Amino acid sequence: MSGSTETSANLLNAGGPFESVLPGFAPRQEQLQLAEAIEKTITTGGTLVAEAGTGIGKTLSYLVPVLKGSERTIISTGTKTLQDQLYFRDLPMVKKALGSTLKTSLLKGRANYLCLYRMEQARKDGRLPSRESISELEAIRQWAPTSEDGDLSISSVIAEDSELWPMVTSTTENCLGSDCPDFDACFVARARREAQEADVVVVNHHLLFADMAIKHGGFGEVLPGASVFIVDEAHQAPETASQFFSSSLSTRQISDLCRDLLAEAAETSGGMAVVRDEVAHCRQVIKEFQLACHDNLEDRGTWDEMLNRSEVRDALQSLDTAVSGLKPVAEPLNGASRGMDACLQRLAEIHAHFDHLDKPVPETEVRWFERRGKGVSIHTTPLDISNLFSGFCEQLDAAWVFTSATLSVNGGFDHFIRQLGLQDADTLNLDSPFDYENHALMWLPADLPEPREASFVQELLEQVRTVLKSSRGRAFMLFTSHRALRQAAELLAGTIDHPLFVQGEMPRSMLLESFRESGDGILLGSASFWGGVDVMGEALSLVIIDKLPFAPPNDPVMVARSNQLRQHGGNPFMELFLPQAVIALKQGAGRLIRDVNDRGVLVICDRRLISKGYGSVFLESLPPMRQTPDRKQVVEFFENESTGH
């Protein structure tokens, strides 16, 4: 039925093909409206920004117009998990229903695919980070010939946080491209060829925006040219785009270059003797720079804060000098191997980045640093990506659909549209069809201290213990900081009759699966659990949010954007901090009701919802639940649930 003249709304209506392939399928008015709007956007080549509340079924609303048509389409979603779900579950089902013959492909960033060349280099080098890495490398070598796509991210042969990961995958910096001796068998090259030949390509936002940033004028290299772009989970798009229009210099990049220089020099007669001393010196200076940052800096901060500490400034200068010292010893090996030539190219790019950091900071960008573990990164981020992004959209001359359950603030799309420069977009706001009025209750505890007070987490837990007992566990507790999460975990441990699942104790997917299987668990999570997590049914009936998710006031990018807004007569709180916090809160609250029969209680423990004028913006942006300041009503809600009332 590809190229069918029947409308998408008809196909999704009663008597359509989905009744036979999707158990329990029933037409939804909001789904039909969204499908009609998307079909119109594809036909006219326009831009649509659409909020589709939980339960509308937005995936079908865009897959049907895409698969019944014939336009080449790229569908981008927020995470690799959602990407796999879309490609392996949703797409085949819709193709079957429509009898579509369109060719589809799945494309991820190169860091997900095994690099055969680097796997062999790691084996030859023999210097692996741990004992676990030895057995993992052997498991990967045995798995490689059996894998069709080389996608390590959906295999079980390597842990998500394994130190071996960067040693068996490639980056844009260290990939040898068509010069690689294993190019004919390359998994990345194969995935890209399949994407070039496909009618519908499923990607994630990281890949979409990374490619945008690289190409500056098209998608010819990684993503095939397309006339339709569907951006699902679009609330994540501005932040992801901002990351990829940024540039970064990290100690990890320099360390990897040192390692690869040695590996390539070892393959060249006399090469090791030429580079060994300078590489060893550079590695030592990296350690000294990391130590200076660890001793003198917070986890993240501004460029000025970095330069104001003489120990850090001097160590950074020494690192710049050490990197420069690699050039005269490595350049004579130019042409010795394809890998060595690639190392020299990477060295030139790192050197150019240091040169950029020596120049004054232009008004259009902000520089900032970040520490993770021992690693240190220095980022250069544009203050405003709207012109960059809208410029790409105009160049591509394609239809764009941005959709998510959380794009609007108090019913309006101004914030999202302004971030991406989508002033000419059509907008559509469709509320969830779920019966929040009767199935959900929002408790706003009235007598908690301000969130910034030291006793806040302890008193929050005292307030909610009774409710956790009434709900028989089955709860998410969502925190805005890791510190609060850890404090709550310590205070709850051993004092509550339900299993505790704490973020960080096991990989995210395993944590969720264990929580679902427990039936009465309490899961404590921070940022990554506020969105993109589905727990339907009785396993989750209580969502507790500690406080309003405002960005930290000292976030270097937010501070710079605030200053710029203020200089142009804007109001940073109302135009930047508040809209972002509203959308994040909507994401967290959206974990509660995921299906038509779900019931539950949302608890927001931040008194500012009631005491501050801006609290009404949050409340009016949330689904229409009954509100109560009375804990007894919450206990009664769960008692009625257990008695069937």
Side-chain angles (χ1 to χ4, degrees):
M1 274 175 75
S2 287
S4 165
T5 55
E6 197 166 0
T7 68
S8 298
N10 284 344
L11 292 166
L12 286 164
N13 221 326
F18 289 93
E19 288 185 342
S20 60
V21 299
L22 198 55
F25 176 81
R28 302 172 192 173
Q29 192 54 43
E30 298 88 354
Q31 189 176 58
L32 303 182
Q33 280 180 261
L34 182 57
E36 278 181 359
I38 291 172
E39 189 162 66
K40 179 186 172 187
T41 303
I42 291 173
T43 304
T44 60
T47 301
L48 175 68
V49 175
E51 177 166 292
T54 309
I56 284 174
K58 60 181 165 61
T59 306
L60 282 186
S61 292
Y62 62 71
L63 284 182
V64 171
V66 164
L67 288 173
K68 74 177 272 295
S70 56
E71 303 287 346
R72 178 174 259 192
T73 301
I74 289 173
I75 301 173
S76 181
T77 192
T79 64
K80 288 180 287 189
T81 304
L82 292 171
Q83 191 184 358
D84 289 333
Q85 180 179 302
L86 188 62
Y87 186 75
F88 292 111
R89 189 189 75 183
D90 301 332
L91 255 177
M93 183 268 293
V94 179
K95 281 186 74 175
K96 180 182 176 184
L98 300 183
S100 170
T101 57
L102 292 183
K103 188 175 180 184
T104 60
S105 81
L106 177 70
L107 186 61
K108 297 180 181 177
R110 62 167 65 249
N112 295 282
Y113 299 100
L114 173 66
C115 173
L116 296 168
Y117 176 74
R118 291 181 64 74
M119 177 182 72
E120 282 305 308
Q121 290 291 99
R123 188 182 66 82
K124 286 179 187 174
D125 185 35
R127 287 178 294 184
L128 298 175
S130 65
R131 286 185 179 178
E132 291 79 15
S133 300
I134 299 169
S135 56
E136 277 186 333
L137 183 58
E138 185 53 37
I140 291 168
R141 288 188 70 214
Q142 291 182 17
W143 167 82
T146 69
S147 174
E148 287 186 20
D149 56 15
D151 185 351
L152 285 166
S153 67
I154 58 172
S155 76
S156 56
V157 292
I158 184 170
E160 289 178 19
D161 57 352
S162 169
E163 294 177 280
L164 186 65
W165 202 284
M167 300 179 72
V168 295
T169 57
S170 67
T171 65
T172 48
E173 290 94 354
N174 63 32
C175 174
L176 302 181
S178 57
D179 289 333
C180 179
D182 294 303
F183 183 71
D184 290 343
C186 176
F187 291 118
V188 172
R190 186 187 306 167
R192 289 183 178 177
R193 279 195 302 272
E194 288 175 1
Q196 294 286 348
E197 295 163 6
D199 303 299
V200 179
V201 187
V202 179
V203 302
N204 57 56
H205 297 343
H206 281 76
L207 181 58
L208 177 73
F209 293 116
D211 198 56
M212 258 193 178
I214 291 164
K215 285 304 292 174
H216 283 266
F219 288 77
E221 201 164 290
V222 178
L223 301 176
S227 49
V228 179
F229 288 83
I230 309 284
V231 183
D232 196 355
E233 299 296 311
H235 61 279
Q236 298 177 13
E239 179 59 33
T240 310
S242 183
Q243 287 174 25
F244 283 99
F245 288 125
S246 303
S247 58
S248 301
L249 177 66
S250 68
T251 51
R252 172 71 167 275
Q253 284 171 285
I254 303 170
S255 292
D256 286 354
L257 173 64
C258 288
R259 183 192 65 220
D260 293 346
L261 267 174
L262 284 181
E264 293 298 335
E267 302 283 307
T268 306
S269 176
M272 184 64 84
V274 174
V275 303
R276 183 192 292 116
D277 291 348
E278 284 298 333
V279 168
H281 173 65
C282 190
R283 282 178 155 173
Q284 180 58 34
V285 175
I286 291 170
K287 289 178 184 174
E288 290 166 5
F289 173 65
Q290 289 172 328
L291 186 63
C293 290
H294 184 273
D295 290 347
N296 293 281
L297 298 175
E298 299 294 323
D299 286 349
R300 54 169 25 201
T302 65
W303 178 237
D304 284 346
E305 287 168 354
M306 195 173 212
L307 296 187
N308 286 342
R309 301 305 299 251
S310 59
E311 301 92 337
V312 177
R313 188 177 64 246
D314 293 346
L316 181 61
Q317 184 59 54
S318 297
L319 185 57
D320 186 357
T321 304
V323 168
S324 297
L326 295 174
K327 190 177 178 184
V329 297
E331 275 192 335
L333 300 176
N334 187 18
S337 69
R338 288 169 289 203
M340 180 58 76
D341 291 351
C343 286
L344 286 167
Q345 177 63 34
R346 287 158 62 190
L347 177 58
E349 288 166 5
I350 291 171
H351 202 272
H353 207 117
F354 272 113
D355 286 347
H356 178 74
L357 293 176
D358 283 337
K359 297 172 185 171
V361 183
E363 289 183 2
T364 54
E365 69 182 41
V366 55
R367 290 180 195 161
W368 54 288
F369 69 85
E370 187 174 32
R371 290 196 304 109
R372 284 190 183 176
K374 293 179 182 176
V376 183
S377 303
I378 301 169
H379 305 279
T380 301
T381 300
L383 285 173
D384 183 358
I385 62 160
S386 59
N387 289 334
L388 277 169
F389 186 81
S390 58
F392 281 128
C393 291
E394 286 169 20
Q395 282 180 14
L396 292 166
D397 190 27
W400 286 83
V401 174
F402 299 88
T403 185
S404 167
T406 54
L407 288 177
S408 70
V409 176
N410 215 352
F413 293 95
D414 293 355
H415 177 65
F416 181 80
I417 284 171
R418 189 169 58 243
Q419 284 180 299
L420 293 182
L422 305 174
Q423 273 69 25
D424 296 330
D426 295 322
T427 60
L428 181 64
N429 197 342
L430 297 166
D431 292 333
S432 168
F434 293 157
D435 185 2
Y436 282 94
E437 197 69 45
N438 292 306
H439 284 192
L441 180 68
M442 188 192 308
W443 176 36
L444 306 175
D447 48 357
L448 278 169
E450 288 276 349
R452 64 174 176 267
E453 292 183 26
S455 62
F456 175 70
V457 173
Q458 188 164 357
E459 294 198 35
L460 179 159
L461 293 178
E462 291 308 312
Q463 285 273 6
V464 302
R465 278 180 189 275
T466 307
V467 173
L468 286 166
K469 187 175 180 181
S470 300
S471 70
R472 307 188 308 283
R474 304 182 299 153
F476 268 15
M477 298 187 71
L478 300 177
F479 296 89
T480 54
S481 73
H482 287 285
R483 184 183 300 161
L485 184 152
R486 287 192 296 270
Q487 187 183 350
E490 288 171 13
L491 291 169
L492 284 174
T495 68
I496 199 146
D497 297 329
H498 299 283
L500 279 184
F501 301 94
V502 182
Q503 181 179 337
E505 290 184 349
M506 61 178 87
R508 183 171 178 263
S509 55
M510 285 176 60
L511 198 70
L512 264 178
E513 195 53 43
S514 301
F515 170 80
R516 285 191 188 100
E517 288 174 0
S518 75
D520 67 340
I522 300 169
L523 188 148
L524 278 61
S526 61
S528 64
F529 282 90
W530 284 62
V533 174
D534 245 357
V535 181
M536 293 186 186
E538 293 188 0
L540 178 59
S541 297
L542 176 64
V543 171
I544 299 169
I545 292 174
D546 70 336
K547 58 184 179 181
L548 299 177
F550 285 110
N554 61 347
D555 179 278
V557 178
M558 292 290 275
V559 168
R561 287 180 177 155
S562 295
N563 292 338
Q564 187 186 53
L565 258 177
R566 212 175 278 113
Q567 285 166 12
H568 290 87
N571 182 325
F573 181 76
M574 296 303 291
E575 295 178 46
L576 194 61
F577 285 91
L578 182 62
Q580 285 195 8
V582 168
I583 288 170
L585 184 70
K586 287 171 70 174
Q587 275 290 310
R591 299 314 98 211
L592 182 65
I593 305 291
R594 305 300 299 174
D595 193 32
V596 67
N597 295 314
D598 283 1
R599 297 176 83 255
V601 174
L602 172 67
V603 185
I604 306 177
C605 302
D606 195 328
R607 61 193 288 182
R608 291 175 294 179
L609 271 179
I610 305 301
S611 66
K612 301 290 186 183
Y614 58 74
S616 61
V617 180
F618 285 98
L619 293 173
E620 286 165 25
S621 297
L622 292 171
M625 306 179 197
R626 290 173 292 140
Q627 294 172 22
T628 180
D630 188 352
R631 180 168 48 190
K632 289 179 184 175
Q633 287 192 36
V634 181
V635 174
E636 285 170 11
F637 180 95
F638 286 116
E639 285 174 354
N640 291 341
E641 178 191 46
S642 60
T643 57
H645 289 97

